[in-house]
């Protein structure tokens, strides 16, 4: 794995961990939407080898599932 991919992966993980603290004042549905989008983005990136379109598509699908699933 190249050094840039390692750094980018570490930055994504750090950003995800820091963003979890922002969920404290959110509603249950908003929190589930954000979590679903984050998980979907990671899943889309993994499944497509880091493709931008795959990451964005995964985030969109995950966000929708998180939003609808919390109703």
């Amino acid at each position: 794995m190249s050094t840039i991919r390692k750094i980018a992966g570490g930055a994504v993980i750090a950003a995800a961990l820091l963003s979890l603290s922002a969920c404290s004042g959110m509603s249950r549905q908003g929190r589930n939407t954000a979590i679903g989008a984050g998980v979907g983005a990671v899943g889309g990136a993994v499944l497509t080898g880091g493709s931008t379109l795959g990451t964005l598509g995964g985030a969109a699908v995950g966000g929708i599932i998180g939003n609808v699933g919390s109703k």
Side-chain angles (χ1 to χ4, degrees), residues 2-71:
S2 71
T3 304
I4 292 182
R5 283 190 177 224
K6 287 181 184 179
I7 292 171
V12 168
I13 291 171
L17 291 175
L18 289 173
S19 68
L20 288 176
S21 65
C23 293
S24 64
M26 296 176 85
S27 67
R28 179 175 169 245
Q29 184 176 12
R31 186 175 54 248
N32 288 345
T33 301
I35 291 170
V39 170
V42 171
V46 168
L47 290 175
T48 61
S51 162
T52 302
L53 186 59
T55 303
L56 292 175
V61 170
I64 291 169
I65 290 171
N67 185 294
V68 172
S70 62
K71 288 185 178 180

